[in-house]
Amino acid sequence: MRISQAPEFGGRHWAGGLVLAALVGAIVGCSSEPAQFELNRIAMHKSEVSLGATLDDKYQVEPIAKILTETFGTPDEPIVPDVPDIEEVMDIEHLKMAAGPYGSDEDGSPRGLYRQHCVHCHGITGNGAGPTAAFLNPYPRNFLTGKYKWKSTKTGSPPTHDDLKRVLVNGVPGTAMPSFALLPEKEIEALVQYVKYLSVRGELERNMLLEFSDLDTSVVKPAEKRTQEEEEYVASLTPEDIADEKADLDEVVVELTDPEVVLEEFLADIVESWAYAYEAVTEVPEKPEVELDESIATGRDLFFNKGGCATCHGQSGIGDGQTAEMFYDDWTEEYYDPKAPEHLEEFLALGALPPRKLDPRNLRLGNFRGGRRPVDVYWRIRNGIEGAKMPAAQQLTEEEIWHVVDYVRKGLPYDTLSQPPEHDQENVRVRN
Ligand code: HEC
Ligand code: HEC
């Protein structure tokens, strides 16, 4: 395929472009076959574990693959699905810039931006498990669940366009997620849209999986794939019962894979939540006019008492609170339950990354991954950090949150070595 032949793959950011090309070649396939999206085998296996049975390829797995290809196309040829408000979320011009192998088209417009800049960390489907991912902590985001951390919206709502753009432009300081501030505006736009494309696609896949997992496919499964319970059930049926059940299953699969049903019943809501993300933005009230010292003192008290922050962030703010044991983020808990770890090996064999403990942040390092502007820290505390177990501080009033913001930003004793010089901090604030 073309991608592995592009000598400048990885472009200006990566001296090790060739090594990367080889690595990426390994995931997208190095033959002349066009690149394919892989199925979310981890989510599928999770269903299997909770069902205590396997999913049937023909009746449960292949129909999902078919729906996804018909609705979203392939990594080289994306499709914009025809649902209401989709134009608020993505358009084909921008998707084409981000999709496909790296290069440019006849009129010089860029192509393949996602594979050039993101795939080695975030993976071709956006599952966060690209070839570089295993070496990073935290791991790159898995886009397939639609959950994001550094956003202005409340838990359960997707980020806004501006939230994603801010992440791309600023990067996530203190993690491997780099800043793409040097890219032209339209390329950032294309990449933001592509992140949404992968997320919406991943969410549809999960919705469909829920539906298909619900089907009892005992009668159509090859005998060796049946559990004992399924075997006994099938043995209890007459040939006519079996024929009826098969016919019913055929009918349900035809209905669930009907493009109109997919778009209207399973995709429209997902797209709507992305299109109207702005309505879920948490309003930020005026900061109360209180002397900074006084505000910090109030914030300190709230941090240790009413706010409950020290239970995770610790008495000295270094992230060693007593709740901080056995803590994993939601993306890890997709496949890893620390209380029942016996299935972990199976998930690792399917490409899941080894679980890594999630640490409550050491707040004395003064590093704000989601942005250091007062408004960013306000959103963090008001809404919590989705997927990362930090709860929304619902017990605090708006005014109290502003005091905690002052304490966290200005009142904690920063460790001297890591305290950034004053002028750097000013620069960061202006750039934001
Ligand atoms: C070197 C690895 C690396 C590369 C390259 C990279 N990312 Fe990331 N990305 C990360 C990591 C690590 C995180 C997780 C940060 C965290 O959890 O705070 C992340 C997080 C994100 C997030 C989630 C932010 C949130 O609010 O939760 C988005 C969106 C994102 N990256 C998009 C991109 C896009 C688009 C590209 C390419 C233009 C890209 N990334 C390139 C490593 C990378
Ligand atoms: C249940 C545990 C828990 C509680 C309670 C908690 N946090 Fe956190 N907090 C975390 C975790 C985990 C992270 C790291 C998230 C990440 O980077 O993925 C974090 C990160 C942060 C950050 C860094 C945000 C950034 O942009 O990098 C701030 C600031 C913060 N917490 C403040 C607070 C405050 C203030 C409170 C109390 C109102 C609080 N936390 C309560 C677990 C908690």
Side-chain angles (χ1 to χ4, degrees), residues 149 309 312-313 360-361 363 368-370 385 388-390 404:
K149 288 182 190 171
C309 316
C312 287
H313 291 286
R361 185 71 47 73
L363 296 175
F368 295 94
R369 293 183 182 173
I385 302 177
K389 297 289 192 299
M390 172 159 149
V404 179

Side-chain angles (χ1 to χ4, degrees), residues 14 113-114 117-122 132 136-141 143 147-151 159 163-164 167-168 172 175-178 180 183 191-192 195 329 331 361 369:
W14 288 93
L113 294 171
Y114 184 77
H117 297 297
C118 324
V119 81
H120 64 95
C121 286
H122 290 283
T132 316
L136 307 178
N137 189 6
Y139 288 135
R141 180 75 59 259
F143 303 141
K147 280 188 194 173
Y148 292 83
K149 288 182 190 171
W150 313 124
K151 59 182 190 161
D163 290 336
L164 289 176
V167 164
L168 258 69
V172 181
T175 78
M177 170 68 196
F180 292 93
L183 294 184
L191 288 160
V192 166
V195 168
D329 67 27
W331 298 275
R361 185 71 47 73
R369 293 183 182 173

